[in-house]
Amino acid sequence: MPRAVDVIRKKRDGGALSTAEIEWMVGGIARGDVADYQWSALLMAIFYRGMDRAETVALTDAMMRSGVVVDLSSIPGAKVDKHSTGGVGDKTSLILAPIAAAAGVMVPMVSGRGLGHTGGTLDKLESIPGFQVDVTLDRYKEILRETGLVLIGQTKEIAPADKFLYALRDATSTVESIPLIAASIMSKKLAEGIDGLVLDVKTGDGAFMERLEDARTLAETMCDVGHSMGKKMVALITRMDQPLGRAVGNAVEVAESIACLKGEGPADLMDLSLDLAAEMVLLAGLAGTIEEARGACERTVEDGSALERFRHLIAAQGGDPNVVDDPGLLPRPRRVVELAADRGGCVARLRSRPIGVATMLLGAGRARVDSSIDPAVGVILHKKVGDLVAPGDSLCSLLVDDESELERACEMISDAYRFEDGVVEAPTTVVIDRLVAGLD
Ligand code: URA
């Protein structure tokens, strides 16, 4: 039987851990015979020494098997999910899940909450009056069978070792390690019972991986791990150097998602949602080419079937489906404040991170895991990269309840903009690269 002290020393000295050693260490969390300080030391050793492919797969597998691995085999159809590494204004899950489902994919999604400057799908969904994200795994399967899609929060049965390790990583400054991030994300996603996974790995100032080469390494590692565990994988590497779409917050992002499902959303958001949904259709084997898959997804918006799916999903999860016809039923702020430009020009940059932080200061996000959020507040950006601005034009509308941080939020948003006198082209696409594993 391995001893924790020997496993830590081996990794500290740059050795590769065996599958048995990794399984024993992960098993020690539930058995209670590996102390927190020993895991903390191992995490730091992994942070500095890294892990090779076999070690990362073994860690992911052991973390996944620390809890329930959902069996969805009794539900017909290919089950494909999407995971985003997170960003500002990133509400693609709310748009692509109904699109992919309407195109025939079974979409079982276990999503997360916002933390820091990034938003979370669960917080957005909970701004729909009555919407329940805490459902049992039995109900998760029922909703999937009935509506072809389901969006819930992580249950305590899914990858409990990740919950323990994530908290330790947070407390020991070992979060930013590619094998640890890959194992953490993939262990939860693979426990959902999926056949394939589309990854949206973001890069830019508002992303977890700011540098393109880190985003690429993370995408390659996650594709590799998923493929080694028998799943079809696609990763899109996408820009998060300005917020996605125009809305940042919770209810306001649901309203923008509904607009997209009606074919009336901003082009960057609509395009990325369709690109990701098309990858899901392709992974599900429902189209021969990505162009065909994209066409099928576009038709679900044109014929209203994606919007209908969203309506069914809301009703199945206890929410008020009338918000689809009347987004005015979503929570509304007490005040709307316009932020005027103090100079003119063309928007050359709009950094995402300060927009995310300003929105959090208004109450839309949480600084700590246990903080509460205000669903009604947020920001609607009227000017993005490439837009012309005259002095006095509104750069954005701030949706405000508590005004205590309003001034700071306004300063941050103003500072996030950079103007130039000449013309600046808006980026034509947010997709930088595409990686594929396991698709013949
Ligand atoms: N999200 C996760 O679930 N885990 C990580 O380690 C990082 C982001």
Side-chain angles (χ1 to χ4, degrees):
M1 199 191 301
R3 292 191 321 152
V5 66
D6 299 328
V7 177
I8 297 164
R9 183 184 308 110
K10 188 172 178 187
K11 183 46 71 184
R12 182 200 69 187
D13 295 344
L17 303 182
S18 68
T19 298
E21 285 167 332
I22 291 171
E23 281 176 355
W24 187 81
M25 287 297 289
V26 174
I29 299 168
R31 290 191 310 270
D33 57 9
V34 178
D36 289 12
Y37 50 79
Q38 290 175 310
W39 253 112
S40 301
L42 182 60
L43 289 170
M44 190 57 85
I46 295 171
F47 182 91
Y48 279 113
R49 294 296 194 170
M51 279 187 139
D52 65 21
R53 180 170 181 265
E55 290 176 290
T56 312
V57 171
L59 180 61
T60 308
D61 189 52
M63 285 167 65
M64 177 186 81
R65 287 187 296 100
S66 68
V68 171
V69 180
V70 182
D71 180 3
L72 297 177
S73 58
S74 64
I75 301 176
K79 291 101 201 163
V80 182
D81 189 9
K82 185 255 356 177
H83 176 82
S84 159
T85 55
V88 180
D90 180 10
K91 70 279 291 171
T92 59
S93 291
L94 275 60
I95 305 162
L96 62 84
I99 292 177
V105 183
M106 300 301 273
V107 187
M109 272 198 174
V110 179
S111 301
R113 296 197 178 275
L115 186 60
H117 72 282
T118 65
T121 300
L122 299 182
D123 298 325
K124 294 169 201 181
L125 285 170
E126 279 182 342
S127 71
I128 300 172
F131 198 102
Q132 296 297 319
V133 296
D134 294 322
V135 306
T136 62
L137 287 178
D138 283 343
R139 184 71 190 125
Y140 163 80
K141 287 191 205 175
E142 262 170 38
I143 299 171
L144 180 65
R145 194 189 294 276
E146 285 161 14
T147 62
L149 74 164
V150 58
L151 281 108
I152 67 163
Q154 196 184 343
T155 72
K156 60 182 183 325
E157 298 102 317
I158 291 186
D162 176 62
K163 193 158 196 253
F164 169 86
L165 290 177
Y166 196 87
L168 272 191
R169 286 165 60 206
D170 210 19
T172 56
S173 274
T174 50
V175 170
E176 301 91 344
S177 149
I178 284 179
L180 293 178
I181 296 169
S184 165
I185 292 175
M186 294 302 292
S187 62
K188 288 176 287 205
K189 287 285 144 185
L190 298 178
E192 289 173 356
I194 47 173
D195 304 303
L197 179 65
V198 175
L199 296 167
D200 178 3
V201 181
K202 299 202 174 290
T203 182
D205 84 289
F208 202 51
M209 294 282 135
E210 287 195 39
R211 297 178 330 153
L212 178 58
E213 63 259 46
D214 293 337
R216 202 184 296 281
T217 309
L218 179 61
E220 282 166 1
T221 307
M222 289 196 287
C223 281
D224 218 15
V225 168
H227 183 42
S228 304
M229 294 173 75
K231 309 298 170 192
K232 295 178 180 174
M233 302 287 304
V234 169
L236 297 186
I237 299 178
T238 69
R239 301 164 68 113
M240 182 35 70
D241 47 8
Q242 68 170 336
L244 193 57
R246 297 197 174 269
V248 187
N250 293 291
V252 69
E253 292 200 32
V254 172
E256 190 171 63
S257 304
I258 293 170
C260 281
L261 290 170
K262 293 178 178 168
E264 296 159 5
D268 60 344
L269 174 61
M270 196 68 219
D271 239 22
L272 180 59
S273 303
L274 285 166
D275 282 344
L276 291 164
E279 299 290 359
M280 294 170 77
V281 169
L282 192 68
L283 284 197
L286 297 169
T289 63
I290 191 68
E291 292 76 20
E292 202 187 302
R294 169 90 187 206
C297 291
E298 285 170 5
R299 282 192 293 282
T300 69
V301 178
E302 284 155 18
D303 68 13
S305 55
L307 188 65
E308 274 316 294
R309 282 297 169 130
F310 194 49
R311 194 194 302 276
H312 286 150
L313 171 78
I314 295 173
Q317 296 198 216
D320 179 0
N322 295 318
V323 297
V324 165
D325 305 306
D326 181 4
L329 295 170
L330 291 164
R332 284 201 273 189
R334 274 194 313 112
R335 246 187 102 189
V336 178
V337 177
E338 300 302 323
L339 178 67
D342 54 11
R343 60 155 287 182
C346 191
V347 180
R349 272 216 74 182
L350 172 55
R351 287 182 297 124
S352 323
R353 189 174 289 255
I355 304 291
V357 175
T359 313
M360 187 184 84
L361 290 177
L362 292 176
R366 41 173 82 70
R368 294 166 39 119
V369 194
D370 52 359
S371 337
S372 62
I373 61 155
D374 181 342
V377 301
V379 170
I380 301 175
L381 300 161
H382 303 305
K383 301 291 180 188
K384 290 186 58 179
V385 173
D387 289 339
L388 284 172
V389 178
D393 279 357
S394 175
L395 294 174
C396 72
S397 305
L398 291 94
L399 316 181
V400 188
D401 275 336
D402 173 358
E403 298 186 15
S404 56
E405 297 278 11
L406 178 58
E407 206 171 311
R408 231 173 109 206
C410 287
E411 274 168 24
M412 271 190 172
I413 298 176
S414 294
D415 288 350
Y417 278 91
R418 208 187 74 225
F419 301 96
E420 276 178 18
D421 290 330
V423 173
V424 178
E425 293 294 329
T428 51
T429 171
V430 295
V431 178
I432 298 171
D433 207 351
R434 175 176 188 257
L435 315 178
V436 176
L439 258 184
D440 307 320

